[in-house]
Amino acid sequence: MLVIDSEIKERFPDLNAKTAVVEGVRIEREKGELEEFKQVVFEEIKRNYDLEGLKDDERMRKYRDFFWKINIDPTKIRPASEALIRRILQEKPIPRINTAVDSYNLASIKSGVPLAAFDLGTLDGGLNMRFSREGEFFLGIGMKKPKKLIGGEIVVSDSKKLVAIYPYRDSDDSKITLKTKKILLMSCGVPGISDAELNQALEYAMGYIKKFC
């Protein structure tokens, strides 16, 4: 489902991402069983991390280092997994979107690996990770208007449109909603993150979505 362009491989030889599909989902706004499970995961996170040392955790550091390399300040735009874990340690609420998004957010929290997800029904063809072209537009989730790209950003596209700026912002057009029936998951790697870590994140996400959706 995902092809990484040769220019990306040339610049970042050990960058990888993994994908998986979950079909037949029934997504709800919320579910009591899921809310209870969140608390179990949150307590585990509080035992395993502390706020002061989070930025120096080996896995978090790999994502932060990659963000600097692609000209993103990770103190302003944090890797998704770090941002979610940080909120838990600060006793701040985790955004509640729907049972599918909340499930894969939990997988990102537990694995420490950022995850993206796309409504498979909105995609045209397979996905391609590549460098953006100057003047392409991208409307991410939560953005009020499309952003004009300068060229050279790492993006993920289908045959017609951009679906993500990698590895931190998914497109509004392909987001997971209550109407979604098929989900394409993507575990987002950076140099130094192993295939085993990416696969583990996907396994968590698929397991949680199947359980709660």
Side-chain angles (χ1 to χ4, degrees), residues 2 41 43 63 81 85 93 125 141 201 208:
L2 176 70
V41 175
E43 289 305 314
Y63 282 95
S81 48
I85 292 171
I141 296 172
Y208 297 163

Side-chain angles (χ1 to χ4, degrees), residues 35-53:
E35 295 306 309
E36 292 174 6
F37 182 65
K38 286 180 184 180
Q39 297 308 313
V40 174
V41 175
F42 294 172
E43 289 305 314
E44 180 182 337
I45 291 302
K46 291 173 186 176
R47 290 194 299 269
N48 292 340
Y49 296 97
D50 68 85
L51 189 59
E52 183 64 30

Side-chain angles (χ1 to χ4, degrees), residues 82-102:
E82 180 188 340
L84 291 166
I85 292 171
R86 186 173 291 274
R87 292 187 70 87
I88 294 168
L89 297 177
Q90 293 173 328
E91 301 288 348
K92 293 181 179 179
I94 298 296
R96 184 185 297 168
I97 309 300
N98 59 53
T99 52
V101 174
D102 292 4

Side-chain angles (χ1 to χ4, degrees), residues 168-181:
Y168 69 93
R169 181 66 69 91
D170 295 349
S171 166
D172 190 72
D173 291 336
S174 54
K175 68 184 178 184
I176 306 301
T177 70
L178 299 179
K179 296 180 180 179
T180 299
K181 298 302 179 188

Side-chain angles (χ1 to χ4, degrees), residues 51-63:
L51 189 59
E52 183 64 30
L54 184 61
K55 69 181 185 301
D56 297 317
D57 175 84
E58 183 179 359
R59 186 175 292 137
M60 305 301 162
R61 174 55 58 191
K62 290 172 182 176
Y63 282 95

